[in-house]
Amino acid sequence: MGRPPCCDSIGVKKGPWTPEEDIILVSYIQQHGPGNWRSVPTSTGLLRCSKSCRLRWTNYLRPGIKRGNFTEQEDKMIIHLQALLGNRWAAIASYLPQRTDNDIKNYWNTHLKKRLHNYRSNSDQENHHHQQGASTSSSSSETITIAKGQWERKLQTDINMAKQALSEALSLDTKPTTSWQQPPYTSPTAPIDHQPELLPPPPGIFNPSSYALSSENIARLLPNWLKNSGKSSQTSSESIGTFNQQFPSPTSEGFKNNGNSEVSETTSLFQGESKPNIGEYQIPSLSFLEKCLFDDAAQGDEGFMDMSLEESDSLF
DNA sequence: AAGCTGCTCAACCGCATGGAC
DNA sequence: CGTCCATGCGGTTGAGCAGCT
C-alpha cells in the first residue's frame, strides 16, 4: 500500500485551470511568494490540492516561461543534455532558460525522440551498406582509434556549441523575445504602434480547452485585473512597474538554482531582495558541463558517444 | 459530413528526497 | 535514529485537436 494520493480529499477540483483560478493563484503568489504550497489552497480558497497549485505555477504561470517554438539551438542542447544526463528533465531545464522541465520532457517525447530514432535507423542502414562495401583489410582496432579521434574533435565542437548556446541564452537579457511578453489578450482596436493594453478575458470568452494555449501567461493580466477589481490603489503603470520588479525579466529569472531548487530562487524574487543578478545564481558552469562531458567520455558513455554534434546537426 | 487515427501537451500520480522534530 | 511532512521529479494519462479516409 502506497501513500494515499494527496488530492483524495472530497471537493478537490481536477482538470484544466480556469482564468479565475489562475488569477487567484498568481495574486496570492505575488503577495506571499511561491512556496508553502500546503497553505495555498486554504489561504486562497482554491479547490485545488497544493501539488496542483505548485505545478500550475511552475509549469505555466511562472514569469519568464517561453512556450513552444523550440529553436534548433534548443533542440541541440536538449539532445546533447539528454544524452549526457539521461531523463533528468529538471537538470536539463536548468541549462535551458525559460523552459520548464515538463515542457522539455514533452518536447523530447513527442518530437526529438522520434526524430532521433528515425535518424538512427537511417544511419544504421547506411552503416550496414558501408560495412558490406568496405574492404575487410582494416582491423577493428584501427577503426576504433580513428573513431575515437574523430569523436574527440566532435566533443570539442560540442563544447564550443554548448558555450555558444549558453552565451546566446545569457545575451537574451538585453534582447528579450520571450513569448510571455506578448500580451495574452490585447484590444482588437489597439493601434499596432502602441503598447497593447492588457485586457482581462472578455466575459464568456473562456474556453477550457483553448485557454491554456491562448493565454501565454496569466501573470500579465494581474496588474490590470487588480486595478479593475479595485484591489490595488496603484496606477496601471505603477502596478506594472511593481509587478515587473517582482517578476523580473525572463532570463534573469530563468536559471534555476542548480536545477532543482526553484523555490529558493523564486522566493528570493518575491521577498524584495535586490533584483537578481544572473551571476548570483548557481548556474551550472561551462567548466562543469565540460567536466561532465569529459567524464562521460572517459567512462565511454554510449548514449553520448552515439550522438555527436555533427550527428545532431544532420537532424536539422 | 462523419468516423477514425495519431499527435500534442497540460495535468495527474506516485515515488524520492530532504528537512524538521 | 526514526517518523512525519512538504516539496521535487519523472512517468503516464487523457482531452482536445488536426489530418486523413
Side-chain angles (χ1 to χ4, degrees):
Chain A
M1 288 293 280
R3 179 187 295 195
C6 74
C7 307
D8 257 2
S9 53
I10 299 166
V12 172
K13 192 179 167 190
K14 292 182 182 179
W17 281 64
T18 66
E20 289 77 18
E21 287 176 316
D22 282 346
I23 287 169
I24 290 169
L25 180 59
V26 172
S27 168
Y28 176 83
I29 290 171
Q30 193 188 19
Q31 288 170 18
H32 300 91
N36 197 14
W37 296 107
R38 197 74 177 176
S39 68
V40 172
T42 48
S43 301
T44 59
L46 284 169
L47 300 175
R48 298 276 182 175
C49 72
S50 56
K51 227 175 194 181
S52 185
C53 294
R54 184 181 61 81
L55 222 57
R56 184 63 179 170
W57 171 255
T58 56
N59 287 337
Y60 191 78
L61 298 173
R62 188 164 55 92
I65 292 174
K66 187 174 159 190
R67 312 194 65 79
N69 298 326
F70 279 77
T71 64
E72 278 189 24
Q73 199 85 320
E74 287 173 318
D75 286 0
K76 290 174 189 172
M77 286 285 284
I78 294 168
I79 289 168
H80 283 266
L81 289 167
Q82 200 279 339
L84 181 65
L85 303 168
N87 292 358
R88 292 170 57 202
W89 305 115
I92 292 171
S94 72
Y95 285 94
L96 286 159
Q98 306 162 9
R99 299 293 187 184
T100 68
D101 52 356
N102 205 37
D103 229 13
I104 292 171
K105 181 173 59 183
N106 281 334
Y107 188 62
W108 171 264
N109 286 329
T110 56
H111 293 95
L112 296 180
K113 198 162 74 175
K114 203 182 306 169
R115 208 189 293 174
L116 211 56
H117 181 261
N118 288 341
Y119 171 78
R120 280 183 172 158
S121 51
N122 286 343
S123 62
D124 280 352
Q125 285 179 354
E126 276 185 28
N127 283 345
H128 186 65
H129 287 140
H130 282 152
Q131 278 172 3
Q132 283 186 330
S135 141
T136 54
S137 62
S138 64
S139 71
S140 60
S141 66
E142 217 173 5
T143 312
I144 289 169
T145 308
I146 293 167
K148 201 173 181 180
Q150 286 174 341
W151 182 79
E152 280 168 358
R153 283 195 297 277
K154 287 175 181 179
L155 179 63
Q156 190 55 48
T157 316
D158 285 1
I159 292 165
N160 290 336
M161 188 279 297
K163 280 181 178 176
Q164 190 188 345
L166 275 173
S167 66
E168 282 184 18
L170 293 174
S171 73
L172 287 175
D173 244 349
T174 55
K175 191 183 165 188
T177 56
T178 53
S179 58
W180 84 286
Q181 290 171 317
Q182 306 293 325
Y185 292 97
T186 57
S187 165
T189 56
I192 295 170
D193 58 342
H194 279 68
Q195 169 75 22
E197 186 187 0
L198 292 172
L199 296 176
I205 203 171
F206 171 61
N207 175 350
S209 65
S210 63
Y211 164 64
L213 295 173
S214 63
S215 173
E216 287 283 280
N217 195 315
I218 195 74
R220 297 280 294 171
L221 293 171
L222 193 57
N224 203 276
W225 178 79
L226 287 174
K227 186 184 70 178
N228 290 343
S229 64
K231 287 183 179 177
S232 165
S233 60
Q234 290 173 311
T235 65
S236 174
S237 62
E238 277 172 339
S239 64
I240 289 172
T242 308
F243 189 75
N244 286 343
Q245 277 188 338
Q246 287 173 319
F247 297 93
S249 71
T251 46
S252 64
E253 184 272 347
F255 281 103
K256 290 181 180 177
N257 181 4
N258 249 350
N260 57 5
S261 177
E262 61 156 342
V263 170
S264 62
E265 164 228 330
T266 43
T267 302
S268 73
L269 299 182
F270 284 85
Q271 290 178 340
E273 292 178 4
S274 61
K275 215 169 181 182
N277 179 335
I278 191 79
E280 292 171 11
Y281 291 96
Q282 294 175 16
I283 302 167
S285 66
L286 278 175
S287 59
F288 171 77
L289 182 58
E290 287 175 1
K291 184 178 181 307
C292 289
L293 289 167
F294 281 115
D295 284 350
D296 273 40
Q299 291 165 13
D301 182 292
E302 286 189 358
F304 187 71
M305 291 284 281
D306 283 347
M307 192 62 203
S308 71
L309 178 68
E310 285 172 25
E311 284 177 318
S312 68
D313 275 345
S314 62
L315 287 170
F316 303 104

